Amino acid sequence: MTVSGNHAHDHTQPIRYGGSERPERPLGQAILRGLKCTCPNCGSGRLFKSFLKPVDRCAACGEEMFHHRADDLPPYLVIFIIGHVTVGGFMMTDMVWQLSMWTHLAIWVPITILTALLSMQPIKGGVIGLQWALRMHGFGNEDESFDPGRGGPLE
């Protein structure tokens, strides 16, 4: 049985919707490179020039980074992860030892702040890697003045 000239059981090529002539960008590898704070394209250039400010372009491969739009997703992910870890840790600690509220505050507030500060940059790098792999927000060299989701130009 054939479908449009292809065999129905032939699954050698992945299904791609639009832009199939462009080389594939491995999603997992790009996110991991971003988590390591390196360029999602080459994996060797630095991704950040300061704490949360990405470089304009990779010094190693020249990939442009200035047009990323990580926006609110990295802080949301940090709050989500840290909140679950901190509340879980607090509850497990409280089950084992009956500590005063001041002792819990002395333990969990510094842990929460330190962990949030240490995880913000890698998580933002992972989000930039995700956007690069999916060719979002200018990483695919598309014309951003046209929004196909709305059916017309951006206003």
Side-chain angles (χ1 to χ4, degrees):
M1 176 178 183
T2 62
V3 178
S4 301
N6 296 329
H7 288 66
H9 63 276
D10 186 15
H11 297 288
T12 57
Q13 294 294 323
I15 297 173
R16 294 191 183 127
Y17 298 98
S20 61
E21 68 280 351
R22 297 185 295 184
E24 192 171 328
R25 294 179 174 175
L27 180 64
Q29 182 184 49
I31 293 173
L32 284 175
R33 286 177 174 174
L35 287 170
K36 294 177 185 176
C37 299
T38 60
C39 173
N41 184 37
C42 67
S44 61
R46 288 182 32 219
L47 186 56
F48 294 97
K49 62 182 168 185
S50 64
F51 181 58
L52 291 176
K53 179 72 175 158
V55 296
D56 289 334
R57 67 185 51 216
C58 176
C61 69
E63 181 73 26
E64 294 178 340
M65 298 291 165
F66 63 86
H67 44 68
H68 81 88
R69 292 205 182 120
D71 298 333
D72 294 335
L73 183 58
Y76 172 79
L77 293 174
V78 168
I79 291 168
F80 184 80
I81 293 166
I82 302 300
H84 281 79
V85 171
T86 302
V87 170
F90 168 80
M91 291 173 70
M92 286 190 288
T93 303
D94 200 43
M95 287 174 45
V96 176
W97 297 289
Q98 296 299 319
L99 302 174
S100 70
M101 187 55 68
W102 289 109
T103 307
H104 276 296
L105 286 172
I107 294 169
W108 294 106
V109 169
I111 288 174
T112 302
I113 292 170
L114 185 63
T115 308
L117 289 173
L118 292 174
S119 63
M120 180 59 80
Q121 189 181 48
I123 288 177
K124 183 171 182 173
V127 170
I128 292 172
L130 171 78
Q131 291 177 354
W132 178 84
L134 297 178
R135 301 179 193 283
M136 296 171 65
H137 307 301
F139 284 117
N141 298 326
E142 67 275 0
D143 180 12
E144 293 229 351
S145 65
F146 181 80
D147 184 2
R150 292 187 191 165
L154 293 174
E155 296 176 2

